[in-house]
Amino acid sequence: MDISVEVADITTLDVDAIVNAANSSLMGGGGVDGAIHRAAGPELLEECKQIRANDLPDGLPTGQAVATKGYDLLARWVIHTVGPNKHAGQTDPFLLESAFRNSLDLALQMGARSVAFPAISAGVYGWDMPEVAQIAAVTIRDWIDSNGSQCATLQTVTIAVTSDEARRIFESALDSAFHS
């Protein structure tokens, strides 16, 4: 599997699925979530409203994931996951690990060959970039190890970040996770 880190706008990546660092309402918001909703167009919000009405009336729980179509994005699907919010007292790293792992599971179930992640919970949700990078790297490594040949369909994982500093942090975490 090819794992890379790019300084990029996740909404412009030509991958099968992008992961949205969503809020539990699935109704859009700021940051990555708002950017994905704007780039995908109004149909994304309509599908999210249907998911809320039919499947998740209380919202998407932290650490879980659900998929929608990508609509106006290059990506075929959007995998929405809710990362933990440290400012709201959600400090358990298992919740962040679950957001990454459940998104990978869903990408595999959908038959995605490529998936792009943002730095889930970094920024406004109060998690430090090095901590997010370490959890993401270890989770991706462990997910590959536990899925073995089943994950052969998923060929590319990209981490899309917004700065060279974040890229270096994620590259270092991935190097440590895969080569230590």
Side-chain angles (χ1 to χ4, degrees):
M1 179 178 297
D2 179 40
I3 303 166
S4 64
V5 185
E6 293 183 28
V7 176
D9 175 349
I10 197 167
T11 67
T12 65
L13 296 180
D14 189 6
V15 293
D16 292 332
I18 61 172
V19 176
N20 179 15
N23 61 56
S24 65
S25 76
L26 298 177
M27 297 299 141
V32 170
D33 192 13
I36 288 172
H37 272 266
R38 285 188 298 278
E43 296 89 354
L44 178 60
L45 180 59
E46 290 307 312
E47 186 174 354
C48 287
K49 286 179 180 178
Q50 290 299 313
I51 290 169
R52 283 294 307 276
N54 299 325
D55 303 319
L56 298 167
D58 297 325
L60 183 62
T62 301
Q64 299 302 306
V66 65
T68 62
K69 294 176 185 171
Y71 298 101
D72 293 341
L73 297 165
L74 290 175
R76 185 172 172 190
W77 299 292
V78 177
I79 298 171
H80 306 266
T81 191
V82 180
N85 183 340
K86 274 199 173 178
H87 301 301
Q90 296 175 325
T91 59
D92 185 351
F94 178 76
L95 292 171
L96 186 53
E97 176 188 323
S98 295
F100 281 98
R101 187 181 58 254
N102 289 327
S103 296
L104 287 165
D105 286 344
L106 196 49
L108 184 62
Q109 290 168 18
M110 294 182 325
R113 292 181 317 275
S114 55
V115 62
F117 283 88
I120 299 168
S121 290
V124 72
Y125 274 19
W127 288 70
D128 293 327
M129 191 68 70
E131 189 174 15
V132 171
Q134 178 198 16
I135 291 168
V138 170
T139 302
I140 293 167
R141 181 202 64 206
D142 291 350
W143 184 85
I144 292 168
D145 289 348
S146 67
N147 283 284
S149 62
Q150 284 182 308
C151 67
T153 307
L154 187 57
Q155 299 168 1
T156 305
V157 174
T158 303
I159 310 288
V161 296
T162 58
S163 70
D164 286 328
E165 179 183 355
R167 180 184 49 75
R168 283 189 294 275
I169 290 168
F170 268 90
E171 286 175 344
S172 176
L174 287 164
D175 188 53
S176 292
F178 282 89
H179 300 107
S180 61

